[in-house]
Amino acid sequence: LDLTQWDFDRRGPAELSGEYEFYWNQHLSPADFDAASPPRPSGFINVPGFWNGYRLNDSELHGSGYATYRLTVRLAAAGIHLGLKILEVSTAYRLYVDGVEMAAVGAAGKDPQTSVPGQYPVILSFTPGSDRIVLLIQVSNFHHRRGGLWERITLGRAEQIARLHERERGLDFFLLGGIFIMAVYHLGLFLARRKFRSTLYFGIFCFLVVLRLFTTDERYLVQILPALDWELLVKIEYLSFYLAVPVFGMFIQSLFSVIPRKLLRLVQFLGGGFSLLVLVAPVRIFSYSLPVYELITLALMAYTFRVMLSESVQRQPEALVFLAGTILLCLTVLNDILYVERVVDTGFFA
C-alpha cells in the first residue's frame, strides 16, 4: 500500500484496505521472510472481508481454518509516531509490526484445541525505523461460521488514532445513556398505567438496543468485563437482535392493531425459536442462523412499511410521525444487515 503521498495532518488516518498477501494453512513468523527463499503467498485477499468463498486450488474456503496475512505500507518519511486501530478479527489473531509482536487477541492456533476466540478493539502506537512498515497477522478461526480480517484496520498519527477512538466512545456512550433513559422512562410509564402496553414493549426494545450497543462494534461489554466468556458475549449479541424483532412487532400492534394475530404469533414463534437455538447451541452452529433471520427481519420491515401506508393507519394523527421514524429505522437496519454481510463497508447505524 503506497501512502507516500498521504498527508496524515491534512487527510487524517488512512484505512489499510485492499489486497493483502494471503498464506492459507500457515502461521508464518517475521523470521520466515528473512530467509533466502521467503514463502510464496497462496494468493491475495481483500481486507476487510471474509476468507469464506476465497478460491484456492479450484475449491472455496470455508470459515474454519488458519492463515497469515501480510501487508507492506510505504510511508512518506521515517520516524513518524504512528497509531494503529484494529476493531476485531474473526476470531483470534497475533499481530507483528516490523518483526515485533505488538498485539494478540485470543490465541491463534492451528486447530480448535489450541485456538481461543476473542474479539475486542486494539489501539497501539509505534515509531517505525524506516519509511516502510510490514504488518504480519496470524489469524485462526474454529468457532464462527466466518473467518478472516472482516473489519477495517486504521493507520494514522498516534494522537489522531487516540482522538478518533475517544470521539467514537463519546458518541456511543451518549447514545447508550440516552436510550437507557428512554427504556427506564417508558417502563416507568407502564408501571404507572399498565393498560398502555406500548410503553412496556418500547421500554424492552430500548433495553435490547442498549445490549446490542454494548456487544457490537467496540464491544464495550468486554472492556468493562475483561473476563467475560467470548461465547457468552456473542450469545448476548445475537439475542439482542433476535428478541428485538418480535418485541418491535408487538409495539406496532399495540399502537395501531394492524398486524394479523396469526402473523404476530408467527413472528413471536420465530423470534423465540431462533433465540432458543442461540441459548443451547455453540456459536459455530447458531451463527449460521443469522442470514435466515435477517431475511425474516427484512420481510417484517417491508410489511410494517406497507401497513403504515394503509388508510386505517393514516387516519390516526400520530401515523405520519411514526411513519417517518419507521422509514429511518428500516433504512438503518437494512444498512446494518448489508454491513454485517459485507455488501457495503459503512458501519452500524440503526
Side-chain angles (χ1 to χ4, degrees):
L1 180 64
D2 188 351
L3 293 181
T4 55
Q5 303 302 314
W6 188 277
D7 186 343
F8 288 111
D9 293 323
R10 184 171 57 87
R11 303 177 67 179
E15 292 181 6
L16 305 186
S17 301
E19 291 185 326
Y20 285 50
E21 295 173 28
F22 185 63
Y23 302 83
W24 180 245
N25 277 347
Q26 299 178 77
H27 272 174
L28 301 172
S29 68
D32 293 315
F33 294 90
D34 294 333
S37 300
R40 294 176 59 85
S42 307
F44 297 89
I45 192 169
N46 283 319
V47 175
F50 313 111
W51 65 42
N52 299 60
Y54 183 81
R55 294 199 63 82
L56 190 64
N57 299 328
D58 297 324
S59 63
E60 292 188 352
L61 300 183
H62 298 289
S64 294
Y66 63 98
T68 300
Y69 290 73
R70 187 170 183 264
L71 176 70
T72 301
V73 183
R74 297 176 58 198
L75 304 170
I80 305 173
H81 189 46
L82 296 174
L84 198 66
K85 179 176 182 179
I86 302 178
L87 204 54
E88 63 181 27
V89 174
S90 182
T91 49
Y93 72 94
R94 183 181 295 108
L95 168 69
Y96 296 87
V97 179
D98 288 340
V100 179
E101 183 176 337
M102 299 288 288
V105 175
K110 297 182 178 181
D111 53 54
Q113 290 70 40
T114 58
S115 298
V116 178
Q119 287 175 297
Y120 53 84
V122 168
I123 307 292
L124 54 92
S125 60
F126 60 98
T127 304
S130 70
D131 60 356
R132 287 174 181 250
I133 59 173
V134 178
L135 304 182
L136 188 72
I137 311 173
Q138 299 172 356
V139 182
S140 72
N141 175 56
F142 296 95
H143 298 83
H144 197 279
R145 69 187 173 99
R146 285 175 166 168
L149 298 180
W150 61 4
E151 290 284 4
R152 287 166 286 183
I153 300 175
T154 307
L155 176 73
R157 291 188 179 274
E159 61 272 16
Q160 291 175 331
I161 296 296
R163 283 199 305 269
L164 176 67
H165 183 59
E166 287 304 313
R167 187 165 63 245
E168 290 172 346
R169 283 172 60 91
L171 175 60
D172 285 343
F173 277 97
F174 172 77
L175 292 172
L176 278 165
I179 297 172
F180 180 78
I181 291 170
M182 289 165 62
V184 173
Y185 173 72
H186 283 84
L187 290 176
L189 286 179
F190 173 72
L191 292 176
R193 305 185 70 181
R194 301 198 175 207
K195 68 176 182 177
F196 294 112
R197 288 190 172 271
S198 60
T199 56
L200 171 65
Y201 300 143
F202 189 71
I204 295 173
F205 182 74
C206 287
F207 267 123
L208 292 171
V209 172
V210 168
L211 275 179
R212 187 151 184 84
L213 278 168
F214 264 116
T215 55
T216 57
D217 220 13
E218 295 279 346
R219 309 276 187 180
Y220 293 113
L221 194 57
V222 180
Q223 299 180 46
I224 296 170
L225 303 171
L228 182 69
D229 180 68
W230 175 83
E231 192 103 7
L232 178 58
L233 170 73
V234 181
K235 284 180 182 290
I236 297 173
E237 174 193 347
Y238 275 63
L239 285 172
S240 65
F241 173 40
Y242 287 2
L243 293 174
V245 173
V247 170
F248 188 70
M250 294 159 67
F251 171 58
I252 294 173
Q253 178 66 4
S254 67
L255 287 177
F256 300 107
S257 301
V258 290
I259 302 178
R261 184 179 297 273
K262 289 184 177 179
L263 177 59
L264 184 60
R265 290 286 182 266
L266 176 62
V267 173
Q268 293 170 332
F269 175 78
L270 291 172
F274 277 76
S275 298
L276 182 62
L277 176 65
V278 170
L279 290 173
V280 301
V283 177
R284 68 177 184 275
I285 300 298
F286 73 70
S287 58
Y288 282 96
S289 66
L290 182 61
V292 179
Y293 204 76
E294 287 171 341
L295 291 175
I296 294 171
T297 303
L298 292 174
L300 182 62
M301 285 179 1
Y303 181 82
T304 301
F305 183 66
R306 188 179 72 83
V307 298
M308 290 305 300
L309 293 175
S310 65
E311 185 179 348
S312 61
V313 174
Q314 289 301 309
R315 286 199 298 265
Q316 302 183 47
E318 69 272 21
L320 185 61
V321 174
F322 194 88
L323 176 62
T326 301
I327 291 173
L328 183 59
L329 179 62
C330 289
L331 288 175
T332 54
V333 168
L334 176 61
N335 168 83
D336 287 10
I337 290 174
L338 295 177
Y339 175 65
V340 167
E341 298 300 328
R342 286 301 175 269
V343 177
V344 298
D345 185 21
T346 51
F348 291 110
F349 286 106

